[in-house]
Amino acid sequence: MSVYFPTVAVTLALTICAVFIALLGFDWRLAYLSLLEGSFGNTNALSETFIKATPLIFTGLSFAIARRCGLVNLGAEGQLFIGGLFSTFVGVSFNELPPLIHLPLALLAGAVGGGLWGLLTASLKNRFGASELITCIMLNYVATYLVAFFVTGPLKEAGSAFPQSAMVAESARLPRIIEGTRLHAGIILALLCVLFYYMFLWRTARGYEIRLVGHNSDAAQYAGMKVKKNALLSMTIAGAFAGLAGSCEILGIQLRLFQNFSQNYGFDGVSVALLGNNTPTGILFSGILFGAIKSGTNKMQMAAHVPSAMVQIIQALIILLVVGREMFNVFKRKMKIQKPCP
């Protein structure tokens, strides 16, 4: 799938939603102009777009690297929560450390936390044959409740009536890139992870093995490759990507841990990866696209009075069109195979 079809899918989804908006009695031109202005209209809007895109790129990479190995990682949301939890623990502790050590340590903790959560899913699959889909979904709940437990107990801010942790130390916060905005250095880290994703999968022998296992695990095993070992590695890296998404949210935006701090970034990452066809550049641009749509929602709602739910409909339509195209291709291939030779 080239750039052509995702572009068509986005255009078609926007067209269909424009019809819905018009049928509901709203001005669709004003709605889309407001959405565009809210996403790219000025420096602050642009920075908000990149802020929203940062966790989406991480979780998109998380889904994509597991998919390259033939696994479906629906656990990015839980891995994101665990990454945020680990980073918060480091961020509110070790206050005496200098920023050059404290910040990398907090980010590393988030990646390790998310990575261990992903590793747990792959381990259960390898050891007991547990479906990674069910395991991921169940572990998402466990991660959410773990965070709820910690912000109401061991990590709760002393003297606070709210279920939240103390603020992370100044030395563990991601620096702002543009003064006067909330844009932080997490976007640079996300770009580096996109580069790592490309270099690892397309420029290393291990990455080649993971891609081959994803294409045909039986053939890879016959060729002497260790399928289970590659599954463990890919899910660990996937978890680390999602864990970094949680770290950047805590250390760059929220600055403290509380319940439900994620805006479904883990699940939206699936949409980002699907639209980007699991490629590095595709994930980068689809992450920015979804970030722009999220960023411009408020402006569209205020200026054109279009409900914010319309944005979710746009996202859903884009994914339906992309997945529908893939299903149609699979159906065509099956029909070609079953067709008797003349």
Side-chain angles (χ1 to χ4, degrees):
M1 186 169 60
S2 65
V3 178
Y4 172 73
F5 189 74
T7 306
V8 171
V10 172
T11 307
L12 195 56
L14 289 173
T15 306
I16 293 171
C17 282
V19 174
F20 283 150
I21 292 171
L23 289 175
L24 289 172
F26 300 108
D27 186 343
W28 67 270
R29 295 181 189 84
L30 178 61
Y32 282 173
L33 282 174
S34 305
L35 185 69
L36 198 62
E37 189 180 347
S39 307
F40 301 105
N42 51 48
T43 305
N44 191 56
L46 193 61
S47 68
E48 288 297 319
T49 293
F50 284 115
I51 286 170
K52 302 288 186 190
T54 300
L56 293 174
I57 292 170
F58 279 122
T59 52
L61 291 173
S62 175
F63 179 84
I65 195 164
R67 196 72 199 96
R68 288 285 179 186
C69 193
L71 300 169
V72 180
N73 179 27
L74 290 183
E77 186 75 2
Q79 294 148 14
L80 180 152
F81 268 86
I82 296 299
L85 174 65
F86 273 54
S87 286
T88 302
F89 176 75
V90 175
V92 299
S93 312
F94 316 113
N95 293 340
E96 67 282 359
L97 290 175
L100 283 178
I101 298 176
H102 200 185
L103 176 57
L105 193 63
L107 290 170
L108 180 64
V112 170
L116 289 175
W117 214 244
L119 178 65
L120 179 59
T121 300
S123 300
L124 291 172
K125 182 180 177 64
N126 285 350
R127 180 68 180 84
F128 302 107
S131 164
E132 76 270 21
L133 284 173
I134 296 173
T135 308
C136 282
I137 292 169
M138 298 308 291
L139 284 177
N140 285 342
Y141 284 108
V142 175
T144 307
Y145 288 125
L146 263 179
V147 168
F149 165 72
F150 274 97
V151 296
T152 53
L155 277 178
K156 186 179 179 185
E157 184 179 26
S160 173
F162 300 103
Q164 62 186 21
S165 73
M167 298 281 283
V168 297
E170 291 274 355
S171 54
R173 297 178 188 178
L174 285 163
R176 294 279 187 267
I177 295 178
I178 302 176
E179 286 300 324
T181 69
R182 300 193 305 160
L183 185 60
H184 55 77
I187 185 66
I188 299 174
L189 190 60
L191 293 175
L192 290 175
C193 284
V194 172
L195 182 63
F196 168 81
Y197 176 78
Y198 167 73
M199 297 298 291
F200 176 70
L201 281 181
W202 280 274
R203 290 291 182 268
T204 67
R206 180 64 66 187
Y208 174 76
E209 275 194 27
I210 286 178
R211 288 190 290 126
L212 194 59
V213 168
H215 279 300
N216 191 325
S217 59
D218 292 333
Q221 193 163 17
Y222 184 75
M225 297 176 185
K226 299 184 186 314
V227 175
K228 290 184 176 180
K229 187 177 177 181
N230 283 300
L232 288 173
L233 180 61
S234 63
M235 280 301 291
T236 303
I237 297 174
F241 280 144
L244 282 172
S247 300
C248 289
E249 274 300 290
I250 295 298
L251 304 177
I253 299 295
Q254 312 294 349
L255 305 181
R256 66 165 84 232
L257 183 68
F258 55 88
Q259 296 181 41
N260 303 321
F261 68 92
S262 169
Q263 300 175 21
N264 282 329
Y265 288 125
F267 295 110
D268 287 345
V270 178
S271 308
V272 169
L274 288 175
L275 183 63
N277 198 24
N278 298 329
T279 61
T281 51
I283 291 168
L284 177 62
F285 285 110
S286 61
I288 293 172
L289 173 68
F290 279 92
I293 291 174
K294 281 180 176 290
S295 174
T297 304
N298 290 338
K299 183 75 176 178
M300 182 177 74
Q301 196 168 12
M302 286 189 294
H305 307 294
V306 175
S308 59
M310 189 56 67
V311 167
Q312 293 169 354
I313 295 175
I314 294 173
Q315 292 183 12
L317 277 174
I318 292 171
I319 298 311
L320 276 176
L321 290 167
V322 172
V323 174
R325 161 72 182 269
E326 286 301 297
M327 290 177 67
F328 180 69
N329 286 339
V330 170
F331 178 74
K332 272 204 316 183
R333 284 196 291 270
K334 282 187 177 178
M335 291 297 292
K336 194 177 290 183
I337 291 170
Q338 291 174 359
K339 190 176 179 180
C341 297

